Amino acid sequence: DQKEVVLFADMGQAYFQLQLVEFSYNRFRVLSHHSELLGGRDFTARLQAYLSEEILAKYKVDVTKRARNIWQMNKESLRLKKVLSTVPM
């Protein structure tokens, strides 16, 4: 009876969940489950904060002063998350 253990990770918009599952021939069993109130929107916000700090340090421009800049940072942060999610580890 060969068994295989797999870790599933799911980052939704508001939650981050991990499940450790054991698979055998005709069944599976959840060994562990963990959920955090941490999601994609938190990652986007942190990414925006980091990029804003970098732009301020490098170019001496505070991009958080204008709503249009914040909107553009949000758009680019979402695009960057999609690019990063396709990079194999």
Side-chain angles (χ1 to χ4, degrees):
D1 190 23
Q2 185 179 1
K3 295 180 181 180
E4 188 171 345
V5 178
V6 178
L7 176 67
F8 293 95
D10 175 31
M11 179 177 276
Q13 188 64 10
Y15 287 95
F16 179 65
Q17 299 176 355
L18 295 171
Q19 293 86 25
L20 190 62
V21 180
E22 177 185 77
F23 292 94
S24 61
Y25 174 68
N26 60 353
R27 65 184 182 96
F28 70 92
R29 181 171 63 132
V30 177
L31 301 174
S32 181
H33 171 82
H34 183 73
S35 181
E36 283 288 327
L37 187 58
L38 168 74
R41 65 180 168 211
D42 301 302
F43 188 68
T44 301
R46 184 60 199 120
L47 197 52
Q48 288 175 338
Y50 172 77
L51 293 172
S52 296
E53 292 167 8
E54 288 294 308
I55 290 169
L56 182 62
K58 189 171 183 176
Y59 300 108
K60 309 294 188 243
V61 175
D62 188 358
V63 295
T64 63
K65 297 288 185 192
R66 294 182 58 209
R68 181 173 169 82
N69 292 345
I70 294 170
W71 176 81
Q72 187 68 29
M73 291 285 288
N74 185 53
K75 186 174 123 181
E76 293 303 320
S77 295
L78 292 172
R79 188 178 67 79
L80 181 58
K81 281 191 337 184
K82 287 179 184 177
V83 169
L84 290 174
S85 70
T86 62
V87 176
M89 297 179 117

